[in-house]
Amino acid sequence: MKIIAVIPARYEASRFPGKLMQILGEKTVIATTYQNVMETGLFDDVFVATDSEIIFEEIRKNGGNAVMTGKHETGSDRIAEAVQNIECDIVVNVQGDEPFLKTEPLKQLISVFNDDPEEKISLASLKIKLKNTEEIENPNNVKVISDNAGFALYFSRSVIPYPREIHPAVEYFKHIGVYAFRKNALLNFAKLPMKPLEISEKIECIRYLEYGMRIKMIETDFVGLGIDVPEDLEKARAILKSGI
């Protein structure tokens, strides 16, 4: 299989415009993310998909691959446009504002497709256990529930399952927005109109479920750092400085 990584990168972000062009160490956030993904050694190619000429030029001047796209509602739609003319089998989506993603969770995602010879799995994604009530009730944490085989049943910003009766065996998981797609599933996704559940929750992977596609969830203990607000950038700088 030919496996590539694509980093969707939008310059305008509602809570922190221009965050991907902020300096982190000696490079910008987006250049740091690109370099770290390249250094995993897991991919045949790595691309940044963007609608920003600023980000496009930033990647190109650092020797990287960048693809210009149109405006899109979701990262998956942007990636689908970027890869339609790129020869590959598996596409891994790495968030541009997650500069410290580790190699092991990416390996776990890719392994899903090595163990799926009948190609029943459309995509795979990550989840991590939530351990306190504040995290579970926070609507910014997208929760996921899975069946016994690890396939996603539903995603929500609400608490799922709802604790009408407290049961000690019930666990809560946060969805981490790192995906590995079969290319054909990704291209099909981009052709499908949003349906009510996705529109209501503002969670793009619900579209796959609404159209009957299967999402394999992989549990990880990796806690990354998404740069959503200026305070997150300061935390990232501190992490980089400490060498963790």
Side-chain angles (χ1 to χ4, degrees), residues 105 108 125-131 150 171-173 176 216-222:
Q108 290 176 287
S125 194
L126 298 174
K127 65 180 182 179
I128 189 168
K129 197 173 295 182
L130 292 172
K131 297 180 179 178
E171 297 178 318
Y172 291 88
F173 290 92
I176 299 174
K216 180 76 170 183
M217 300 303 303
I218 303 297
E219 184 176 353
T220 181
D221 58 4
F222 168 70

Side-chain angles (χ1 to χ4, degrees), residues 7 37 85 129 136 159 173 176 188 202 206 233 241:
I7 305 167
V37 174
N85 295 318
K129 197 173 295 182
I136 293 167
V159 177
F173 290 92
I176 299 174
N188 288 337
K202 292 291 186 290
I206 290 177
L233 179 62
K241 190 174 181 179

Side-chain angles (χ1 to χ4, degrees), residues 97-133:
D97 59 3
E98 288 265 5
F100 303 128
L101 188 61
K102 302 294 185 185
T103 301
E104 190 55 36
L106 297 176
K107 275 186 178 178
Q108 290 176 287
L109 284 179
I110 293 168
S111 71
V112 166
F113 300 98
N114 293 324
D115 299 331
D116 182 37
E118 296 181 8
E119 300 189 3
K120 293 182 177 180
I121 299 172
S122 300
L123 68 154
S125 194
L126 298 174
K127 65 180 182 179
I128 189 168
K129 197 173 295 182
L130 292 172
K131 297 180 179 178
N132 65 62
T133 302

Side-chain angles (χ1 to χ4, degrees), residues 16 18-29 32 99-100 225-227 229-244:
F16 191 1
K19 65 182 181 181
L20 297 183
M21 290 298 295
Q22 296 294 314
I23 298 299
L24 180 60
E26 298 180 354
K27 296 179 180 287
T28 58
V29 171
T32 301
F100 303 128
L225 175 63
I227 299 175
V229 293
E231 291 78 10
D232 295 330
L233 179 62
E234 294 309 314
K235 292 177 185 175
R237 285 170 173 163
I239 291 171
L240 196 64
K241 190 174 181 179
S242 69
I244 296 175

Side-chain angles (χ1 to χ4, degrees), residues 3 10 30 35 65 74 77-78 80 127 172 174 211:
I3 303 169
R10 189 166 60 98
I30 188 62
Q35 178 182 331
N65 298 317
T74 72
D77 288 308
R78 185 182 306 284
K127 65 180 182 179
Y172 291 88
K174 175 184 176 180
Y211 284 98

Side-chain angles (χ1 to χ4, degrees), residues 105-213:
L106 297 176
K107 275 186 178 178
Q108 290 176 287
L109 284 179
I110 293 168
S111 71
V112 166
F113 300 98
N114 293 324
D115 299 331
D116 182 37
E118 296 181 8
E119 300 189 3
K120 293 182 177 180
I121 299 172
S122 300
L123 68 154
S125 194
L126 298 174
K127 65 180 182 179
I128 189 168
K129 197 173 295 182
L130 292 172
K131 297 180 179 178
N132 65 62
T133 302
E134 183 179 355
E135 288 182 327
I136 293 167
E137 294 180 348
N138 185 344
N140 292 320
N141 289 335
V142 173
K143 272 71 70 176
V144 59
I145 50 175
S146 308
D147 66 15
N148 287 336
F151 289 97
L153 294 170
Y154 193 61
F155 300 84
S156 183
R157 298 184 185 279
S158 299
V159 177
I160 53 173
Y162 180 78
R164 181 177 177 183
E165 180 177 323
I166 303 299
H167 193 290
V170 171
E171 297 178 318
Y172 291 88
F173 290 92
K174 175 184 176 180
H175 176 226
I176 299 174
V178 179
Y179 303 92
F181 310 88
R182 292 195 185 279
K183 181 184 175 181
N184 59 355
L186 178 59
L187 296 181
N188 288 337
F189 169 92
K191 297 173 186 175
L192 299 170
M194 290 186 187
K195 291 173 74 70
L197 292 177
E198 179 188 2
I199 293 169
S200 176
E201 294 264 18
K202 292 291 186 290
I203 301 172
E204 65 187 81
C205 49
I206 290 177
R207 194 184 317 175
Y208 287 93
L209 299 182
E210 289 190 271
Y211 284 98
M213 291 185 246

